[in-house]
Amino acid sequence: MKRQLIVLLVLVSGLFASLASRAELVIRITDGTNDGIPVMIVPFQGGDLAGVIEADLQRTGLFTLIDPAKAGQALAMGQPFQTEPLRASGAEYVIVGKQVGSLEFEILNAATGKRTAGYRIAQIGNTRRMGHKAADLIFERLTGKRGAFDTQVAYVSANGPAKAQTYQLIVADADGFNPRTILRSNKPVMSPSWSPDGNRLAYVSFESNRSVIYVQDLVSGDKRAIADHPGMNAAPAWSPDGRLIAMSLSQEGNPDIYLMDANGGGLRQITTSKAIDTEPAWANNNTLIYTSDQSGSPQLYRTTVAGGEGSRLTFTGEYNAAPSVVGNTVAMVRDIGSANRIALMNASSSDSKLVSEGTYDESPSLAPNGEMVVYATESGGRGVLAVASANGKARQVLATQVDDVRDPAWSPYLD
């Protein structure tokens, strides 16, 4: 079942036929790296958040986790340790901590025995979130880049028989835990897109028996229709400054890219080709990257908010579609002939690489720091979400025991 761009015009045509009931996602590590920064994370006193931190760091493909059993000694926060056995273990850094309400931890230099950094995270109701915050601090300290573990992912699930499904729009932690349902409907829901402040989601719903774009507040639950035009209303995407929402509309008969004020007014057309133009993504507040088949097969094109003819970006692969952009990195679905894979491309050099290994990989969404990408794939005949590192060295599957999920969207930073 290779992805074809025409599916975007037939939004209800069985896209969710294989989706099943919602359940909490659980992590299954499929690939890791043995040439990253060597880190030993010692089980924390009074808590079990070390495992959360390990899974977070491993997901980036930038760390090699050293077994604490190789330390050759008992390690605890605030206690001296022998450096020679730690050097022999291969660890460069050691993380020790304790959880008594709040979370306190230290980053130790295994070679010198000195403390590199120490942190305290106040107690919060979502205990796992304390672990994600700790992983962010460790990631930034050891790489110099901002971590993106204390974020969320939105996705779509459904339950029931194919002709009578209940669809759900769900928001969960970035590792799939702590899900909460934002919307339930007996009609298809798709294409969630986060506002840059992380407080709202735009999405497409068929609850009125036709595609309509809604914006919903995640705290109050209030929602409103912002695009209910004749024809297709699809693929909403917020601008980085939150002022505009890009979308694909076919009100003139041909799908084109349009811009609208985030409050629902000021609609204006951006592309005017005779091709199918859809799936807009923002490179910055002035530049859009989108999917178009004007060259004969779906490829990525770039244009500005001023509109005009787009310039083609992708030339590798039979087709490239569904862009997600962070900084200079563009994620996309690439058809390599035998499979659909997730590729990452440098927008300046056009250098690209495949980072997924499935057969039906789709719907990529980059983490806000660009170091990971979440996407939909298949495992055991079911739809699951997976996360791949930007360097292609690590992959984790966010799976359920019995359910299928689709259409992930990674949130912005949640300050």
Side-chain angles (χ1 to χ4, degrees):
M1 184 177 66
K2 291 185 179 180
R3 179 190 177 101
Q4 299 294 332
L5 190 60
I6 193 65
V7 169
L8 297 166
L9 293 176
V10 192
L11 294 171
V12 293
S13 61
L15 179 63
F16 294 90
S18 65
L19 295 180
S21 60
R22 187 203 87 171
E24 187 168 67
L25 303 175
V26 294
I27 297 173
R28 184 171 76 247
I29 297 171
T30 57
D31 288 294
T33 182
N34 58 8
D35 62 354
I37 301 171
V39 176
M40 178 183 292
I41 304 176
V42 179
F44 291 172
Q45 299 167 270
D48 58 357
L49 292 179
V52 175
I53 297 170
E54 284 184 342
D56 283 349
L57 296 182
Q58 191 168 33
R59 196 153 52 247
T60 68
L62 297 175
F63 295 88
T64 297
L65 299 177
I66 306 298
D67 187 348
K70 296 181 178 181
Q73 60 197 297
L75 296 171
M77 186 172 175
Q79 300 298 316
F81 61 92
Q82 300 175 12
T83 58
E84 190 58 37
L86 287 183
R87 283 197 294 267
S89 75
E92 249 182 74
Y93 297 97
V94 178
I95 313 297
V96 292
K98 62 182 179 181
Q99 182 187 341
V100 184
S102 61
L103 174 61
E104 298 180 49
F105 66 97
E106 297 176 333
I107 304 175
L108 308 175
N109 187 305
T112 65
K114 295 182 179 180
R115 186 172 98 157
T116 299
Y119 304 93
R120 180 183 180 276
I121 298 173
Q123 183 177 7
I124 55 178
N126 181 350
T127 304
R128 289 181 62 87
R129 190 177 180 190
M130 297 165 64
H132 296 316
K133 287 179 175 291
D136 280 342
L137 292 168
I138 294 167
F139 183 88
E140 185 166 8
R141 181 72 183 193
L142 300 187
T143 69
K145 303 174 184 178
R146 186 173 181 180
F149 310 113
D150 182 30
T151 52
Q152 295 183 320
V153 62
Y155 59 93
V156 174
S157 181
N159 62 26
K163 294 184 179 180
Q165 291 186 320
T166 300
Y167 298 85
Q168 298 166 95
L169 178 59
I170 299 167
V171 170
D173 294 347
D175 61 356
F177 284 78
N178 297 312
R180 59 190 178 103
T181 298
I182 302 304
L183 174 72
R184 285 186 176 90
S185 175
N186 61 0
K187 298 296 176 64
V189 179
M190 59 189 69
S191 304
S193 173
W194 290 86
S195 64
D197 61 8
N199 293 329
R200 292 162 291 171
L201 280 174
Y203 57 88
V204 176
S205 173
F206 284 82
E207 58 195 77
S208 60
N209 293 317
R210 54 193 304 274
S211 62
V212 177
I213 297 175
Y214 291 85
V215 169
Q216 182 162 332
D217 188 283
L218 297 183
V219 176
S220 69
D222 293 340
K223 67 175 184 177
R224 58 188 175 88
I226 63 165
D228 186 6
H229 303 284
M232 180 185 73
N233 299 269
W238 296 78
S239 63
D241 61 10
R243 295 178 53 251
L244 299 171
I245 298 179
M247 61 193 67
S248 180
L249 305 178
S250 63
Q251 61 177 349
E252 299 297 329
N254 195 64
D256 281 301
I257 306 301
Y258 287 73
L259 295 183
M260 174 184 289
D261 295 340
N263 63 10
L267 183 69
R268 57 192 176 95
Q269 188 173 348
I270 298 300
T271 67
T272 56
S273 75
K274 295 181 180 180
I276 298 172
D277 296 341
T278 188
E279 298 177 324
W282 294 84
N284 52 54
N285 288 318
N286 186 59
T287 305
L288 287 159
I289 294 175
Y290 61 98
T291 306
S292 177
D293 66 349
Q294 60 187 273
S295 63
S297 67
Q299 297 292 341
L300 300 189
Y301 286 74
R302 177 167 48 196
T303 191
T304 70
V305 294
E309 185 176 358
S311 59
R312 183 171 168 177
L313 281 181
T314 54
F315 296 88
T316 301
E318 294 186 20
Y319 77 72
N320 296 275
S324 174
V325 188
V326 170
N328 210 35
T329 300
V330 182
M332 69 198 74
V333 178
R334 173 168 293 170
D335 185 344
I336 60 171
S338 60
N340 289 350
R341 299 277 172 79
I342 305 303
L344 299 186
M345 183 182 74
N346 183 300
S348 297
S349 66
S350 296
D351 292 339
S352 65
K353 59 186 173 184
L354 300 175
V355 296
S356 73
E357 296 183 334
T359 302
Y360 306 124
D361 302 338
E362 58 185 8
S363 303
S365 181
L366 285 162
N369 62 0
E371 292 295 328
M372 299 167 285
V373 59
V374 63
Y375 57 96
T377 186
E378 290 187 3
S379 178
R382 296 184 294 107
V384 300
L385 304 186
V387 176
S389 62
N391 61 15
K393 295 182 178 181
R395 275 170 290 275
Q396 293 181 357
V397 172
L398 309 182
T400 63
Q401 296 300 313
V402 296
D403 306 329
D404 292 353
V405 291
R406 282 289 185 268
D407 235 3
W410 209 312
S411 80
Y413 293 114
L414 304 175
D415 293 323

